[in-house]
Amino acid sequence: MSMAHTLFRAVAALGLAAGLTGTALAATLPPIGLWQGRYKCAQGQTALALQITAISPTQVRAVFYFHALASNPHVPQGCFSMQGHFDPATRRLHLSPTRWLSQPKFYVWTGLSGTVGAGGAVLTGTIQGPACTDFALKPSATLPIPPAPPACRMDQNGPTV
């Protein structure tokens, strides 16, 4: 069992002992798992799959995998790793890029800041990059289509890098 998993079990046990249940307990944990949706930067609307794993209750890492949408088919596939912070009190997530895993020519990496909505059904915020605006993601149980290239591969246990 991983240290992060053990830590989450301890946090969950403390939360239950304190009377937190269901949604209240989920609100104190980072938004781990696969999130999919869109963001907008200079290249236009772009598909985004963000795989988030926890390092601790407030520290997270992620893989940011982007690819084309049917409405914007000329966007290449690419991905980079990220690391950041989750604030359980405000439900705010801040991620900064750390390493390119697959970089398309002329593309730059970006950071992001967002908020997990009530019940954990949506993650929205802003992309911090040149000519970028917003993003909107929802939790997903299915892997991205098209599949991520090997360097960007994601699985149920988080980034494979």
Side-chain angles (χ1 to χ4, degrees), residues 19-109:
L20 296 174
T21 59
T23 304
L25 179 59
T28 66
L29 300 175
I32 59 173
L34 178 61
W35 295 78
Q36 292 193 73
R38 309 171 171 227
Y39 72 99
K40 187 174 183 183
C41 284
Q43 72 275 10
Q45 285 287 332
T46 304
L48 169 59
L50 188 68
Q51 178 71 45
I52 303 172
T53 57
I55 298 169
S56 77
T58 59
Q59 299 298 312
V60 295
R61 65 181 178 165
V63 170
F64 184 110
Y65 165 54
F66 59 92
H67 58 91
L69 292 166
S71 60
N72 189 10
H74 301 293
V75 173
Q77 294 182 354
C79 64
F80 49 89
S81 60
M82 305 183 87
Q83 203 158 355
H85 180 264
F86 174 72
D87 182 344
T90 62
R91 308 280 300 142
R92 298 277 303 159
L93 174 70
H94 299 280
L95 290 170
S96 298
T98 55
R99 181 171 60 106
W100 274 106
L101 304 172
S102 177
Q103 182 181 12
K105 194 172 187 177
F106 306 118
Y107 273 70
V108 298
W109 61 17

